[in-house]
Amino acid sequence: MALRQTFRAVPKPKLGDAEREELKRLLGEKDAWTLKEVRILIKEKFNVEYSEMQVWRMLTSWNMHHAKPYVLDKRRPDDAETILKKT
């Protein structure tokens, strides 16, 4: 009895190698990106839609890290650190 081996078809990437390199270059122009911003960039530049999970997987495969953006309070005085040190 012979065992039949089945192969799953791997989907073709939506972005080609040249487009991925261009995306890496574009991402390098700015220090911090959110997944939503990267999704919008890909849609505008390459007319390709990815989910946030797909974008996250792509970025982690390139050893790019993500973080929650640091929100600055607009009410904070410019010299807040100096005021804190005085107290």
Side-chain angles (χ1 to χ4, degrees):
M1 181 172 170
L3 293 176
R4 288 182 55 185
Q5 199 170 24
T6 58
F7 293 96
R8 246 179 46 189
V10 177
K12 182 180 173 190
K14 294 179 184 179
L15 294 178
D17 292 337
E19 293 170 321
R20 286 176 177 256
E21 290 303 317
E22 174 70 9
L23 178 59
K24 286 181 189 179
R25 186 190 65 74
L26 291 170
L27 293 175
E29 293 178 358
K30 184 176 160 185
D31 287 336
W33 293 85
T34 64
L35 292 177
K36 184 177 180 179
E37 290 173 332
V38 176
R39 285 184 68 211
I40 292 169
L41 175 67
I42 293 170
K43 177 65 177 165
E44 290 176 353
K45 184 73 176 168
F46 305 106
N47 198 29
V48 173
E49 289 195 42
Y50 280 116
S51 69
E52 285 191 8
M53 181 57 86
Q54 289 171 306
V55 171
W56 178 81
R57 285 183 186 131
M58 185 186 325
L59 297 178
T60 55
S61 74
W62 296 339
N63 291 324
M64 293 185 174
H65 304 286
H66 66 285
K68 185 174 180 180
Y70 182 74
V71 180
L72 296 176
D73 188 354
K74 294 178 178 143
R75 300 170 295 177
R76 179 181 178 197
D78 292 334
D79 61 344
E81 290 181 20
T82 307
I83 294 170
L84 181 64
K85 287 179 184 178
K86 287 180 182 178
T87 58

